[in-house]
């Protein structure tokens, strides 16, 4: 027979300290304590110090909902990505962006909300941002037709773009970027310096500034060297599009001895096609990619590529957005990172 064992009762937790208790401990009014906790506006340094000490002594945690009512802030910002879900989950560019943005917020209480703005949903996205769900937005991988730069500018929602805007006047939009034009020129010049003379390119999308600018850099280097500019095919920065573009490029221009490819993911797709066609890299065809986000070091052969400092760019964009939220005057010029090339076995 089993004896009845009395149920074990957990000791009751002490009630959480209240704002009234903080005010009493600090020797100030409840409204002064609230202002001190929620930003310190119109609070003397002495009262602020007393409230901070009382908060520490009591272990008081502010009610976030009540705090939002006072400050009109959500303590969150949106990372807006106008791309399909599968791109966001598979492209290392977005992981690097999230890493850099998170590091810029490490010393704050601000959280990041990921907003995937699927094609055709820019108005819905801006409506979400404008309705007070977040304090501001970082936008990456934007396209001309989504017009997020123009609509965000009209909405007055604080924002910073990673990448040069296309639909709005870039002088009106805060943005951080790398010099994609110089990066494309640098990659192509490297191939020219290797003695390659039949150089094609797999360019990025024609509705994105990175695709446009990297192609312009390729054109400038080819023009300066007096080389033909007829071997151009476009992709969308994915592995699959790189493979499709490489097949088309080789079919149209079988005499190519080098290719500048506007992203490492597209280059990874193209390398497989070159192997299928019996092309040795770099013996028959030298290849230079763009990004250096991890894929480049793991391809066969490892890719020579131009560095896109995504983590640093996102970190800088986050810092600029924090400055906006703090009322710091906006810088008059965008922040542009200089490109550099990393030499590996492919070229």
């Amino acid at each position: 027979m089993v004896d009845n064992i009395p149920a074990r009762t957990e000791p009751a937790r002490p009630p959480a300290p209240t704002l009234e208790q903080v005010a009493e401990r600090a020797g100030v009014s409840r409204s002064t304590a609230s202002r001190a906790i929620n930003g310190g506006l119109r609070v003397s340094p002495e009262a602020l110090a007393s409230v901070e000490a009382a908060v520490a002594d009591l272990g008081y945690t502010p009610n976030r909902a009540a705090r939002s009512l006072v400050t009109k802030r959500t303590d969150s910002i949106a990372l807006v990505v106008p791309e399909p879900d599968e791109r966001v989950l598979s492209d290392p560019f977005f992981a690097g962006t999230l890493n850099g943005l998170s590091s810029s917020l490490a010393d704050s209480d601000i959280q990041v909300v990921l907003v995937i703005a699927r094609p055709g949903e820019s108005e819905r996205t801006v409506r979400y941002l404008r309705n007070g769900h977040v304090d501001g937005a970082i936008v990456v991988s934007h396209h001309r037709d989504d017009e997020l730069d123009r609509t965000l500018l009209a909405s007055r929602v604080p924002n910073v773009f990673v990448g040069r805007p296309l639909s709005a006047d870039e002088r009106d939009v805060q943005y951080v970027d790398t010099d994609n034009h110089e990066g494309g020129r640098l990659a192509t010049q490297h191939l020219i310096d290797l003695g390659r003379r039949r150089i094609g390119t797999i360019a990025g999308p024609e509705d994105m500034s990175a695709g446009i600018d990297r192609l312009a850099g390729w054109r400038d280097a080819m023009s300066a060297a007096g080389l033909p500019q007829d071997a151009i095919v476009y992709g969308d920065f994915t592995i699959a599009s790189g493979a499709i573009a490489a097949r088309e490029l080789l079919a149209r221009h079988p005499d190519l001895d080098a290719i500048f490819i506007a992203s490492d993911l597209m280059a990874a797709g193209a390398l497989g096609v070159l192997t299928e066609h019996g092309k040795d890299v770099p013996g028959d065809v030298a290849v230079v990619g763009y990004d250096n986000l991890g894929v480049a070091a793991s391809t066969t052969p490892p890719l020579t590529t131009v560095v896109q400092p995504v983590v640093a760019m996102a970190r800088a964009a986050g810092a600029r957005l924090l400055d906006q939220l703090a009322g710091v005057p906006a810088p008059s010029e965008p922040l542009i990172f200089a490109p550099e090339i990393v030499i590996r076995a492919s070229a």
Side-chain angles (χ1 to χ4, degrees):
M1 181 175 180
V2 179
D3 293 334
N4 290 329
I5 300 174
R8 181 179 177 181
T9 58
E10 296 290 336
R13 291 184 178 180
T18 65
L19 181 60
E20 287 76 9
Q21 290 173 316
V22 172
E24 182 180 358
R25 175 70 66 93
V28 300
S29 68
R30 185 185 187 282
S31 61
T32 298
S34 177
R35 291 197 304 274
I37 290 169
N38 294 304
L41 295 176
R42 304 193 313 278
V43 179
S44 69
E46 295 79 11
L48 183 60
S50 296
V51 172
E52 289 175 345
V55 166
D57 289 344
L58 294 171
Y60 174 75
T61 302
N63 182 298
R64 290 183 65 85
R67 185 176 187 272
S68 294
L69 289 174
V70 174
T71 64
K72 309 300 183 186
R73 296 274 291 273
T74 66
D75 283 343
S76 61
I77 63 172
L79 174 60
V80 182
V81 186
E83 296 286 0
D85 300 27
E86 59 271 14
R87 284 286 306 278
V88 179
L89 298 174
S90 62
D91 192 327
F93 174 87
F94 301 112
T97 300
L98 188 57
N99 181 6
L101 180 56
S102 297
S103 69
S104 73
L105 305 175
D107 294 330
S108 75
D109 293 327
I110 294 178
Q111 302 297 311
V112 178
V113 177
L114 178 61
V115 177
I116 300 177
R118 298 174 184 87
E121 294 186 356
S122 60
E123 289 186 8
R124 177 183 177 186
T125 299
V126 172
R127 187 165 59 249
Y128 170 83
L129 300 176
R130 192 172 48 215
N131 285 346
H133 298 290
V134 294
D135 299 325
I138 302 290
V139 184
V140 300
S141 196
H142 50 290
H143 300 253
R144 179 184 281 114
D145 289 345
D146 63 40
E147 292 196 336
L148 276 170
D149 47 359
R150 190 188 300 276
T151 51
L152 273 177
L153 188 62
S155 76
R156 304 292 183 182
V157 174
N159 65 85
V160 179
F161 278 66
V162 178
R164 181 172 63 83
L166 284 176
S167 64
D169 188 328
E170 63 184 70
R171 293 171 296 183
D172 296 330
V173 180
Q174 279 207 56
Y175 71 95
V176 174
D177 205 353
T178 185
D179 189 340
N180 287 295
H181 181 282
E182 175 59 17
R185 192 204 65 79
L186 190 66
T188 310
Q189 188 60 51
H190 175 70
L191 294 169
I192 293 169
D193 292 343
L194 290 176
R196 307 299 169 125
R197 291 297 177 266
R198 194 68 180 100
I199 305 171
T201 186
I202 299 176
E206 297 179 89
D207 67 342
M208 298 182 72
S209 59
I212 294 167
D213 294 348
R214 292 171 195 177
L215 177 60
W218 174 83
R219 288 188 183 280
D220 282 356
M222 297 291 282
S223 178
L227 299 176
Q229 301 174 39
D230 57 327
I232 304 172
V233 178
Y234 295 89
D236 65 2
F237 291 148
T238 63
I239 291 177
S241 75
I244 293 168
R247 289 191 180 94
E248 181 179 347
L249 200 57
L250 290 175
R252 287 165 41 189
H253 307 281
D255 59 333
L256 292 180
D257 61 6
I259 310 174
F260 163 52
I261 305 177
S263 83
D264 289 346
L265 285 181
M266 292 198 300
L271 286 174
V273 172
L274 289 168
T275 299
E276 290 174 8
H277 283 71
K279 300 285 188 180
D280 178 71
V281 178
D284 298 321
V285 180
V287 175
V288 176
Y290 206 115
D291 283 332
N292 198 45
L293 292 177
V295 176
S298 61
T299 57
T300 303
L303 272 172
T304 292
T305 189
V306 177
V307 176
Q308 177 170 218
V310 171
V311 173
M313 290 162 59
R315 187 183 301 121
R320 287 198 167 199
L321 183 58
L322 289 178
D323 283 348
Q324 282 189 50
L325 298 177
V328 176
S332 58
E333 299 291 335
L335 177 60
I336 307 297
F337 288 81
E340 59 180 289
I341 192 165
V342 176
I343 308 299
R344 295 193 180 94
S346 69

